[in-house]
Amino acid sequence: MEKRVRVRFAPSPTGGLHMGGVRTALFNYLFAKRHGGDFILRIEDTDQTRFVEGAEEYIVAALKWCGIAPNEGVGFGDGPHKPYRQSERKELGIYQKYADQLILSGHAYYAFDTEEELETMRKKLEAAKVVAPQYNAVTRQNMRNSLTLPEDEVKKLLESGAKKVVRLKVPRNEEIRFEDIIRGWVVVNSSQVDDKVLLKSDGMPTYHLAHIVDDIEMKISHAVRGEEWLPSAPAHILIYRYLGLESEMPKLAHLPLILNPDGKGKISKRESRFPVFPLSWKDPREAEPFIGYKEAGYYPEAFVNILALLGWNPGNNQELFTVDEMAQIFDFERVNKSGAKFDPEKAKWFNQQYLRKKADQELADVFKPVLKEKGFERDNAFILEFCKLVKEKVQFVHEFWDQGKYVFIAPESYDEKVITKKWNEKSKETFGKVTEKFKSLNDWTIEAITKTFHDAEAETGKIDMQLLRVLTTGVAGGPQLFDMLALIGKDETIKRLDRALGKL
Ligand code: GLU
């Protein structure tokens, strides 16, 4: 029988969750949803030296903002496998049992080496031109551990409470194979794998042991994580094997990296061209906060849509997806092996598409306080109409003001390029006529303005619309001009035209 789909997102609270982490959470979420399974949030906080205050709360808040809520786990309600924080699970002795089992079966051992001794070994190996010095089947023979020391000495050390770690005993020359859903079969020789520490001297398990124990106990069916964990996977296979749990092991999927726009290297949190974090993140160790997608004006739906297409290929040309739509077709078979280049311009485009889908009233409600702050008040119908027109020209809500401020403030200058190119000796007369005709209008509607403009053209010949735009708004482009003039109002439009004609 196929296992029930149970996936987990297992971040360490070592900092703010960046977009790569959110994508991992999203792919887990989509997969669980597709299969009617469970999605769990587990906090992997066994490395106390890297613990960062506020990181866990940030992770929970970020997932909530993105709308990819786990149905079990820290911050989202307890499930049958509580607690979901590894530090709390350690207190229950959950990991120790498994470490003891490995020691008993001869697949793990105690190592008593001090930091200095380890350093000396590293230096020696480096001097001997060993490329990646590691504690392994060869080097362990010259170190102080329960495999090299006499039995009674080991016993004495253990009884005296000497500092020790538990290490995995990786065989010397063995082929380790495993199948990754995204990468296919991976084959690694065990000589490439070091004797990983499983339990640290403070009694805490390392990630390697803890995640395996938890994945087994939490009945995880698929372990989906970033590519950076691929090199550790062979050691994990051995741990499962030595625990006799290979048949219960979750299927593995290692997601590709998210790369910089130039395709070189993975995105760094110090990136200045675009946000890297979903929400603004203030790291207590850093002076400056990092701006988030939310604060930069992105909609969560857009952000999630952008992330989904970083590495996942839906198999057709569709680009805009709701989470539900994605969840209907999401599959790891369609996730690429190679890194996914992030395109910040395309990200803005996505936001624009979602902005256009918003109800005008929703945009008006957001714009109203902005307008007030700028010192202007208008009734709802006016703001609604303004937003309806300007929304076609912006990618973010915060651009509404800049794109359409001339509706509220008369221009002080006129787009120079347009004036230099198009303003000629005939223009004054032409626009004088347009102004006169506008003055005689009783009814200042879009239709009336349009008709009047064409009436003027019937008399003067073709009139350059862009010039009319520059005279009345100061700028060379924008939403439908007559619609904007209707909003600006008759008296104000005429005042602006008279002023421009006086100046030019
Ligand atoms: N704690 C690991 C991390 O933060 C989790 C990796 C995994 O999902 O197994 O990357």
Side-chain angles (χ1 to χ4, degrees), residues 425-458:
E425 63 284 1
K426 242 192 96 197
S427 303
K428 206 164 234 176
E429 194 192 317
T430 307
F431 286 97
K433 168 132 297 163
V434 173
T435 312
E436 282 318 305
K437 287 213 173 285
F438 278 169
K439 276 185 188 160
S440 66
L441 259 182
N442 294 324
D443 192 16
W444 190 254
T445 58
I446 301 165
E447 297 71 33
I449 298 168
T450 315
K451 183 174 180 305
T452 310
F453 181 79
H454 293 314
D455 286 351
E457 276 191 319

Side-chain angles (χ1 to χ4, degrees), residues 11 74 81 85 123 153 186 190 230 273 283 286 297 313 369 396 398-399 424 428 438 445 461 498:
V74 175
H81 301 284
R85 243 180 238 105
K123 288 217 175 101
E153 195 178 333
V186 179
S190 65
L230 193 56
R273 295 167 290 181
D283 192 313
E286 311 237 3
N313 170 5
F396 299 95
H398 59 75
E399 291 171 348
N424 58 34
K428 206 164 234 176
F438 278 169
T445 58
D498 281 339

Side-chain angles (χ1 to χ4, degrees), residues 8 10 20 39 77 145 185 240 273 318 320 352 369 372 381 392 398 429 433 436 478:
R8 83 297 192 279
F39 172 44
N145 51 56
W185 282 97
Y240 280 110
R273 295 167 290 181
Q318 189 178 341
L320 298 176
Q352 180 174 36
K372 198 163 174 194
E392 296 304 322
H398 59 75
E429 194 192 317
K433 168 132 297 163
E436 282 318 305

Side-chain angles (χ1 to χ4, degrees), residues 8-14 24 28 42-44 86 207 211 215 223-226 228-229 236:
R8 83 297 192 279
F9 177 50
S12 297
T14 53
T24 302
N28 273 293
R42 184 171 75 218
I43 297 291
E44 302 205 324
Q86 288 185 330
Y207 161 70
H211 91 277
D215 282 354
V224 180
R225 59 190 177 189
E228 66 273 22
W229 294 109
H236 302 161

Side-chain angles (χ1 to χ4, degrees), residues 328-394:
Q328 276 168 31
I329 54 170
F330 182 82
D331 219 319
F332 287 113
E333 265 81 40
R334 290 201 157 276
V335 172
N336 302 325
K337 283 197 256 296
S338 49
K341 228 193 287 179
F342 177 66
D343 178 350
E345 290 313 311
K346 187 75 191 210
K348 291 182 193 162
W349 176 87
F350 271 104
N351 204 62
Q352 180 174 36
Q353 305 313 307
Y354 281 91
L355 189 146
R356 287 183 182 170
K357 284 182 195 221
K358 295 279 171 196
D360 296 331
Q361 189 59 55
E362 191 180 331
L363 297 171
D365 290 341
V366 179
F367 185 60
K368 221 172 277 177
V370 176
L371 190 59
K372 198 163 174 194
E373 204 188 288
K374 300 286 179 192
F376 300 94
E377 273 186 72
R378 294 289 190 278
D379 64 16
N380 188 59
F382 187 98
I383 297 178
L384 201 60
E385 185 60 22
F386 174 87
C387 290
K388 196 165 121 193
L389 291 172
V390 179
K391 89 187 224 195
E392 296 304 322
K393 295 286 165 191
V394 300

